[in-house]
Amino acid sequence: MDNKMSFFDRFGMVAQKMGNQIHLRTLRDAFATFMPFMMLAGFVTLFNYVIFDPAGFLSSVISSGILEKIQSIGTPIASATLSITSLLIVAAISYHMCQNRNYENTIAAILVSISSLMVLTPMMTTFTPEGAKNALEIPNVIPLDYIGASGMFVGIFVGLIATELFIKLSKNKKLQINLSGNIPPAVMKSFNVMIPIMITIVSISIV
């Protein structure tokens, strides 16, 4: 019994250390923040394609036209949650990383992370017209596959790396632009992180 208890004690200590590791803690907090959006997307999907399906059981009570109008309410909600999963998670990760690092300029870090994710996102998609053999390339389009659930791993990677790099660079006094005079605080903060923002985004683009 003592051996079993000692094993569980050691396991508990390891789990506690892992839970306190800043990157794992950041991911935990980010996904906890992100969870309501996923729950909303799940409920919308359930109602839209099961309960309010124009060909479903409610069609005998409610006209298909009304059901389609109800579906039109839920479709944009799904697009604004599930279809931009990577954008939401990268913002949440960046925010909680700043909290765990005690970094005050949170909004700058979030914007840097989102911009870094978009740097890695191909602004192009392909489309094959009906009857055509070759696919057409459509530029200046953001494919939802890259910013949705399938791009979550990239979002996690970018959220952690870009935020860490930005925070370290922004704490370097040599990279800060100090303005003199009666300067609004928001403008002062913006100039202080201007060079770190540029270095971070360019570095991500190179990678």
Side-chain angles (χ1 to χ4, degrees):
M1 186 68 179
D2 293 338
N3 291 333
K4 290 184 178 180
M5 291 297 294
S6 62
F7 167 77
F8 286 115
D9 289 340
R10 289 195 297 269
F11 181 80
M13 292 175 61
V14 173
Q16 184 177 5
K17 289 182 179 179
M18 291 180 63
N20 291 329
Q21 204 278 333
I22 189 167
H23 299 98
L24 295 179
R25 187 168 73 245
T26 297
L27 290 177
R28 179 199 64 194
D29 296 340
F31 275 97
T33 303
F34 178 65
M35 188 61 65
F37 296 92
M38 287 296 93
M39 293 182 65
L40 175 60
F43 283 125
V44 167
T45 302
L46 173 65
F47 279 92
N48 252 24
Y49 298 104
V50 177
I51 298 178
F52 297 130
D53 184 4
F57 66 95
L58 281 182
S59 60
S60 60
V61 181
I62 304 175
S63 66
S64 59
I66 295 178
L67 291 176
E68 289 177 358
K69 288 183 179 180
I70 296 175
Q71 277 189 325
S72 67
I73 299 174
T75 301
I77 297 176
S79 299
T81 51
L82 189 62
S83 297
I84 59 168
T85 300
S86 297
L87 284 178
L88 296 177
I89 198 64
V90 75
I93 289 174
S94 184
Y95 172 81
H96 287 287
M97 179 65 75
C98 290
Q99 297 296 308
N100 292 327
R101 292 291 189 193
N102 296 318
Y103 184 73
E104 295 182 356
N105 199 349
T106 307
I107 184 62
I110 294 174
L111 294 178
V112 167
S113 297
I114 293 176
S115 180
S116 298
L117 178 64
M118 299 314 296
V119 164
L120 298 177
T121 302
M123 301 294 182
M124 180 193 68
T125 187
T126 57
F127 172 73
T128 305
E130 186 177 355
K133 295 182 179 180
N134 298 324
L136 300 177
E137 292 186 354
I138 304 175
N140 302 321
V141 175
I142 303 176
L144 293 180
D145 290 341
Y146 291 104
I147 61 174
S150 58
M152 183 177 291
F153 177 78
V154 177
I156 293 173
F157 175 80
V158 171
L160 293 174
I161 299 300
T163 306
E164 281 278 31
L165 178 60
F166 170 72
I167 291 176
K168 289 182 179 180
L169 292 174
S170 61
K171 289 182 178 180
N172 189 338
K173 300 293 183 180
K174 297 180 180 180
L175 299 177
Q176 296 179 2
I177 301 176
N178 297 315
L179 301 177
S180 60
N182 189 14
I183 307 298
V187 177
M188 182 67 72
K189 286 184 178 180
S190 177
F191 273 87
N192 282 339
V193 298
M194 181 179 295
I195 296 178
I197 286 174
M198 294 178 179
I199 295 176
T200 301
I201 296 177
V202 170
S203 300
I204 296 296
S205 181
I206 293 172
V207 172

